[in-house]
Amino acid sequence: GNSVTQMEGPVTLSEEAFLTINCTYTATGYPSLFWYVQYPGEGLQLLLKATKADDKGSNKGFEATYRKETTSFHLEKGSVQVSDSAVYFCASNDYKLSFGAGTTVTVRA
Amino acid sequence: DTEVTQTPKHLVMGMTNKKSLKCEQHMGHRAMYWYKQKAKKPPELMFVYSYEKLSINESVPSRFSPECPNSSLLNLHLHALQPEDSALYLCASSQRGDNSPLHFGNGTRLTVT
């Protein structure tokens, strides 16, 4: 089966700082990879995805590149805002969606 | 705004009650899911329906009973729950249930007293 390991937080940043959340996966096949974001009191929202090696997913200033050689899908944003405060989940879908443990990000003004 | 609608938003029930959670989507998706999420944890898969048939049951206790009346609706019937079942219950849908991304509702916050 597949599994996902992501860096655990919490992560606290100042506005306009650079954000990186590391994520690595194990899979028997060639999974699709996702980042989901969960804002307080809400469900999960798809932030970005990549379906094959070297694909780059991007949305709302966030980016992640599917790296098959390092089995990684690290999330990055160059300049975070207070509104980016949320829990971020990396996920891998081989035949079933597997989530990482989640990383709580707090951005301070 | 989420395209997957869950009702109610909050539910408090006693251990002898029977209640139901409801989920609706109108995106034409053919796979629907129930997840359970405890505080500060990732969602845990409970059930998957694919083309209105139950395809995955992750060894969920029988006090949780899913139902898929049609391709747009998904219910979760609850009976004789335990306090440890208190959690956020999330419904999700996807186009085909393969590698297509999941669309989540905002969940029902369940408290069992």
Side-chain angles (χ1 to χ4, degrees):
Chain A
N2 54 331
S3 66
V4 175
T5 303
Q6 70 179 96
M7 97 188 216
E8 297 204 25
V11 174
T12 302
L13 303 162
S14 297
E15 248 185 338
E16 300 183 5
F18 185 86
L19 170 68
T20 299
I21 305 176
N22 289 342
C23 171
T24 57
Y25 68 91
T26 60
T28 52
Y30 301 96
S32 293
L33 302 174
F34 307 90
W35 277 100
Y36 285 87
V37 58
Q38 187 172 29
Y39 299 102
E42 298 185 9
L44 278 71
Q45 297 177 25
L46 178 67
L47 182 58
L48 52 84
K49 66 175 182 178
T51 57
K52 62 183 187 297
D54 300 324
D55 267 2
K56 178 187 281 188
S58 61
N59 185 25
K60 299 182 181 180
F62 290 89
E63 291 184 343
T65 301
Y66 192 143
R67 301 282 187 206
K68 186 180 170 189
E69 63 277 12
T70 54
T71 62
S72 65
F73 193 54
H74 305 321
L75 182 69
E76 296 181 337
K77 185 172 185 180
S79 177
V80 293
Q81 305 300 313
V82 172
S83 56
D84 294 324
S85 298
V87 182
Y88 292 82
F89 293 98
C90 185
S92 163
N93 194 342
D94 203 343
Y95 79 99
K96 190 172 79 170
L97 193 63
S98 292
F99 286 97
T103 302
T104 300
V105 173
T106 302
V107 181
R108 295 187 172 163
Chain B
D1 287 340
T2 180
E3 296 169 333
V4 177
T5 304
Q6 290 188 244
T7 55
K9 288 185 176 11
H10 301 275
L11 178 63
V12 179
M13 61 185 289
M15 289 189 284
T16 58
N17 291 159
K18 285 186 181 180
K19 295 285 184 185
S20 296
L21 310 185
K22 297 186 183 301
C23 175
E24 189 168 2
Q25 59 88 14
H26 294 289
M27 295 178 281
H29 289 175
R30 303 314 302 268
M32 295 187 77
Y33 309 74
W34 280 115
Y35 281 85
K36 173 183 177 180
Q37 186 180 27
K38 291 286 216 179
K40 301 189 186 300
K41 298 290 186 185
E44 299 171 17
L45 182 64
M46 300 174 73
F47 302 104
V48 181
Y49 274 82
S50 180
Y51 292 85
E52 299 159 53
K53 294 190 188 309
L54 183 65
S55 61
I56 295 178
N57 176 342
E58 290 287 320
S59 303
V60 178
S62 60
R63 58 186 184 267
F64 295 91
S65 174
E67 177 196 19
C68 188
N70 60 54
S71 61
S72 299
L73 295 174
L74 186 66
N75 299 323
L76 186 63
H77 303 298
L78 314 172
H79 174 53
L81 295 194
Q82 304 297 311
E84 59 265 28
D85 296 321
S86 299
L88 181 67
Y89 288 84
L90 293 165
C91 174
S93 68
S94 67
Q95 277 191 321
R96 291 176 302 277
D98 49 9
N99 285 356
S100 46
L102 270 61
H103 296 251
F104 284 85
N106 282 333
T108 294
R109 176 74 59 190
L110 174 68
T111 303
V112 181
T113 60

